[in-house]
Amino acid sequence: MSNFNKYSRYYDLLYKDKNYTSEAEYVLNLAKNYNKECNKFLELGCGTGNHAAVLCNKGFSVVGLERSEEMVALAKQKNISNFNPQVADITNFNINEKFDVALSLFHVISYLTDNEQLINCFNTVHQHLNINGIFIFDVWYSPAVYIQKPETRVKRISDEQIDVTRIAESTIHYNKNVVDVNYTIFIQDKATKITEVHHETHPMRHFSINEIKMLADFIGFDFVKAEEFLTANKTSENTWGVCMVLRKK
Ligand SMILES: C[S@@+](CC[C@H](N)C(=O)[O-])C[C@H]1O[C@@H](n2cnc3c(N)ncnc32)[C@H](O)[C@@H]1O
């Protein structure tokens, strides 16, 4: 069951300042560095299609898999050419096609909190990649989570019709490498002043590099690199989002 239900209606508004263009260009450069052949992209957890829009605009084709029907409906409304968003679970899918690059951006893999889900997802991605195909994903990084600890955060954002206030409060489950992010979202209609309140919990798993290396090896990927997402800096306890690059053997 998706935890992006009501939330998805406000998703693009909440992340309107996120720089999807530079993120998509960053992953495209990474993919091209490690695979000369990169035309066909598979995007896991494609959300409302914001990264795919940038890639398709550059002439690439993207199949997007996304569990939330509402997110897929929003992605389809954007009418992005060469983008095919589909409702699917990234831990269990079968499309009769192989890809040069698999992407999973904005912590989607961190939503796979148990080992079986992770193994199923990595195995299935492996089956859908060509030899030397690249798998790029960003996840929460354990050293940063343990040292910095997630703080309570408040985000406020508006458009012409609504004011949205989102409070994020976290609970850490040390033995599972999981943090529950509990969102309370207030949506006030500017004209009527009526306020809706939504609650969603997003359990997020964080990873060490060795954990991903072990998983990669077990499934049949070479571990290519880990770096801070977007800056390409060396990972440290200050790196909340780490980008991992694997290549199918
Ligand atoms: C933080 S959002 C990122 C969306 C998009 N990649 C972006 O950058 O805007 C995480 C997304 O992962 C999706 N997701 C989480 N678990 C999933 C699963 N098992 N199968 C498919 N999608 C999943 C959620 O529905 C949500 O759209």
Side-chain angles (χ1 to χ4, degrees):
M1 161 75 177
S2 171
N3 44 7
F4 277 86
N5 287 333
K6 305 244 169 67
Y7 193 21
S8 54
R9 276 169 58 199
Y10 315 107
Y11 188 84
D12 281 345
L13 178 60
L14 274 165
Y15 293 111
K16 74 173 180 192
D17 297 329
K18 189 171 168 61
N19 196 336
Y20 280 98
T21 303
S22 44
E23 291 187 5
E25 285 171 353
Y26 161 77
V27 291
L28 180 58
N29 283 335
L30 268 178
K32 283 182 174 166
N33 279 345
Y34 297 103
N35 188 2
K36 297 282 165 277
E37 238 358 272
C38 57
N39 299 310
K40 287 178 69 187
F41 287 74
L42 176 66
E43 189 182 2
L44 312 165
C46 63
T48 59
N50 294 330
H51 291 110
V54 180
L55 295 170
C56 292
N57 218 0
K58 292 180 185 292
F60 300 101
S61 73
V62 181
V63 171
L65 306 179
E66 168 55 57
R67 182 173 56 174
S68 157
E69 285 179 22
E70 293 187 17
M71 297 286 244
V72 171
L74 290 165
K76 284 190 170 158
Q77 275 170 26
K78 294 180 184 168
N79 281 324
I80 303 163
S81 15
N82 293 324
F83 178 44
N84 176 8
Q86 308 177 6
V87 177
D89 188 325
I90 61 170
T91 64
N92 175 20
F93 63 94
N94 185 10
I95 32 182
N96 203 9
E97 241 182 294
K98 293 227 180 197
F99 297 85
D100 306 311
V101 184
L103 297 175
S104 190
L105 302 174
F106 202 9
H107 312 144
V108 173
I109 297 299
S110 282
Y111 281 85
L112 308 182
T113 50
D114 72 53
N115 293 340
E116 199 184 334
Q117 287 176 317
L118 262 178
I119 292 168
N120 288 345
C121 173
F122 277 52
N123 250 328
T124 316
V125 170
H126 190 269
Q127 284 159 21
H128 285 81
L129 280 175
N130 294 315
I131 304 284
N132 291 328
I134 299 289
F135 183 20
I136 301 176
F137 55 95
D138 62 319
V139 283
W140 284 20
Y141 187 47
S142 297
V145 173
Y146 286 133
I147 288 166
Q148 293 179 36
K149 301 211 163 50
E151 291 171 349
T152 296
R153 287 171 287 124
V154 178
K155 182 161 187 169
R156 292 193 177 83
I157 205 125
S158 300
D159 65 10
E160 304 75 49
Q161 278 116 37
I162 52 171
D163 291 317
V164 179
T165 305
R166 186 189 70 178
I167 302 171
E169 295 165 295
S170 297
T171 312
I172 303 181
H173 302 284
Y174 285 100
N175 291 334
K176 296 184 183 164
N177 286 12
V178 168
V179 176
D180 281 343
V181 184
N182 300 299
Y183 289 114
T184 309
I185 305 150
F186 300 89
I187 297 120
Q188 186 173 62
D189 184 294
K190 283 182 166 174
T192 64
K193 301 289 175 209
I194 293 171
T195 304
E196 285 175 32
V197 185
H198 301 296
H199 298 277
E200 288 191 6
T201 297
H202 294 210
M204 304 295 290
R205 179 164 177 170
H206 49 86
F207 296 89
S208 68
I209 290 173
N210 262 347
E211 205 177 351
I212 297 294
K213 279 187 174 162
M214 187 167 67
L215 183 60
D217 195 44
F218 175 66
I219 304 288
F221 286 108
D222 282 322
F223 182 89
V224 177
K225 68 158 27 177
E227 63 183 27
E228 186 172 76
F229 185 71
L230 209 54
T231 66
N233 288 339
K234 198 168 177 300
T235 56
S236 75
E237 67 274 19
N238 298 318
T239 310
W240 198 277
V242 66
C243 179
M244 311 272 187
V245 182
L246 312 183
R247 182 172 37 215
K248 178 169 169 166
K249 289 184 191 178

